[in-house]
Amino acid sequence: MAQYFDDLETRSVDQRMAEQSALLRTRLASITVAPQDWQDAAAQVQSPEDLVNLPVLRKSDLSEWQKARPPFGGIQVGKVTHVFQSPGPIYEPGALDDDWFRMGRFLHAAGIGADDVVQNCFGYHLTPAGHMFESGARAVGAMVLPAGTGQTELQVTAARDVGSTAYAGTPDYLKIILEKADEMGVALGITKAAVGGGALFPSLRQFYIDRGIACLQCYATADLGNIAYESDAMEGMMIDEGVIVEIVTPGTGNPVAFGEVGEVVVTSLNPDYPLIRFATGDMSAMMAGTSPCGRTNTRIKGWMGRADQTTKIKGMFVRPEQVAAFVARHDEVPKARVIASREAETDVLTVQVESDGGDADAYAESIVETMKMKGKVVVCDLGSLPKDGLVIEDQRTYD
């Protein structure tokens, strides 16, 4: 197996800057449906450093654009084969061919190749994660078991029967599969894990190491595909070769000083969906130097929280507007608060509901419908929730 996915990973700083600048100018010139003042400003962009002169694009903008001009808000879209839906709803184009989401680079760094069978436990329903990782597995020549989510006992049986050697999915679900296999007395052959969609806590990574499983994580989104990824050096995350990353002061487009924590803003060089200065809402920071693994691109420190209250739980984002939608369904509920916590290395969603003796079962059903996942319900007295402006509280620690 080659040490690197391709030659792009080991380019010199000058070569990368020159080639990405040329691609950036090409992408910007291809966008002809933007307002004239945006096109005028884009025409002046010669290199990534000039992107600061363009406005930041936020998910709220994308949502409004898509409502006005469905499905993609008027953004020029090239060769795509799929349409996906994320909470909002927001629709994203995609394709399975030619490693469209650029996940092959990450799977290769995780040691996955043509001799592997990847048990892909990301969802395939509406959201793109399952397809993203499948296209990456195809790019490295691996066989895929499209397992999806849930039905853990069947997951164990399938992993044994087809000889799964690698796992793709959220960080905590592999632990659930392994523990179920132990209960069933089944020995599995999984030795590699490529995870995303949530934080890989050090204690959980150590659990996998103790089981003989090398576990690496990536940072990707439905809109942008792969943004950054770990290598076996496990010193930060390399920025993917197909994007340009800026770290800005949250709520602005102004870059922070190198090494300071700020919001991740990404420009995708994908010709089929060139998002320009797309604000992820995630926090991170640039790292100095290069990775000991030999890849030369700049690194970020990984996911360091959210710039707003939007929080990723069980691999899915929960947004303040979803909490508001839940409250609006119940006239007797003036207020609700989502708590993100962890139990036994697994994310837990708890919803505290202010209500004068409402129906907890009805609330639980509404949580699934508005937040797209199951959660615990705690009915609280009217006026008892904190008046601190928080509707989503993340009690998890990332040390």
Side-chain angles (χ1 to χ4, degrees), residues 74-95:
I75 294 177
Q76 294 161 271
V77 173
K79 179 185 175 184
V80 299
T81 59
H82 290 66
V83 179
F84 303 100
Q85 184 197 74
S86 294
I90 292 176
Y91 297 94
E92 300 101 2

Side-chain angles (χ1 to χ4, degrees), residues 253-302:
N254 303 322
V256 301
F258 190 94
E260 290 186 5
V261 177
E263 183 178 10
V264 178
V265 170
V266 181
T267 293
S268 169
L269 299 174
N270 183 342
D272 295 323
Y273 194 49
L275 292 179
I276 308 300
R277 298 204 84 201
F278 188 78
T280 64
D282 294 320
M283 303 286 279
S284 192
M286 296 289 189
M287 293 178 64
T290 57
S291 172
C293 71
R295 294 172 176 86
T296 56
N297 207 350
T298 306
R299 295 169 296 166
I300 60 174
K301 291 184 178 179

Side-chain angles (χ1 to χ4, degrees), residues 34-276:
Q36 189 60 50
D37 59 346
W38 188 95
Q39 292 187 55
D40 291 343
Q44 303 304 311
V45 173
Q46 296 299 306
S47 69
E49 286 87 350
D50 299 329
L51 283 169
V52 68
N53 297 313
L54 297 178
V56 166
L57 172 63
R58 297 195 174 275
K59 280 187 178 288
S60 56
D61 300 323
L62 204 53
S63 179
E64 291 303 314
W65 292 0
Q66 291 187 358
K67 289 176 184 176
R69 299 181 65 183
F72 303 124
I75 294 177
Q76 294 161 271
V77 173
K79 179 185 175 184
V80 299
T81 59
H82 290 66
V83 179
F84 303 100
Q85 184 197 74
S86 294
I90 292 176
Y91 297 94
E92 300 101 2
L96 290 185
D97 301 329
D98 303 320
D99 196 21
W100 198 88
F101 298 98
R102 306 178 314 282
M103 298 302 299
R105 194 179 308 283
F106 167 50
L107 267 65
H108 183 275
I112 297 171
D115 295 332
D116 287 298
V117 177
V118 179
Q119 185 144 340
N120 187 4
C121 294
F122 280 106
Y124 280 80
H125 177 65
L126 287 180
T127 57
H131 297 272
M132 291 169 67
F133 276 77
E134 177 164 328
S135 66
R138 290 184 181 186
V140 298
M143 183 182 295
V144 178
L145 172 65
T149 59
Q151 297 183 297
T152 307
E153 189 168 321
L154 288 178
Q155 297 264 9
V156 172
T157 302
R160 178 197 62 197
D161 292 348
V162 306
S164 296
T165 59
Y167 164 88
T170 55
D172 51 8
Y173 189 49
L174 176 57
K175 182 174 186 287
I176 295 172
I177 292 175
L178 294 172
E179 290 176 339
K180 176 60 71 172
D182 292 344
E183 290 177 17
M184 297 169 61
V186 173
L188 299 182
I190 295 173
T191 60
K192 306 165 188 175
V195 304
L200 174 58
F201 294 89
S203 57
L204 185 56
R205 196 199 298 263
Q206 188 59 52
F207 173 85
Y208 295 138
I209 291 173
D210 293 343
R211 302 277 302 229
I213 299 172
C215 182
L216 298 181
Q217 61 184 325
C218 72
Y219 169 38
T221 73
D223 321 89
L224 298 158
N226 194 24
I227 298 170
Y229 60 101
E230 286 186 319
S231 70
D232 54 7
M234 289 191 291
E235 292 188 10
M237 290 184 170
M238 266 74 58
I239 295 173
D240 184 76
E241 300 295 333
V243 296
I244 296 167
V245 172
E246 303 169 78
I247 306 294
V248 307
T249 302
T252 77
N254 303 322
V256 301
F258 190 94
E260 290 186 5
V261 177
E263 183 178 10
V264 178
V265 170
V266 181
T267 293
S268 169
L269 299 174
N270 183 342
D272 295 323
Y273 194 49
L275 292 179
I276 308 300

Side-chain angles (χ1 to χ4, degrees), residues 331-348:
D331 293 339
E332 76 282 8
V333 176
K335 191 174 184 179
R337 185 183 184 102
V338 166
I339 306 293
S341 60
R342 287 181 70 77
E343 293 179 6
E345 303 291 0
T346 301
D347 286 346
V348 176

Side-chain angles (χ1 to χ4, degrees), residues 288-318:
T290 57
S291 172
C293 71
R295 294 172 176 86
T296 56
N297 207 350
T298 306
R299 295 169 296 166
I300 60 174
K301 291 184 178 179
W303 188 79
M304 300 176 70
R306 291 290 293 174
D308 59 16
Q309 292 184 41
T310 300
T311 303
K312 189 175 284 186
I313 308 172
K314 301 180 183 179
M316 295 288 288
F317 283 120
V318 178

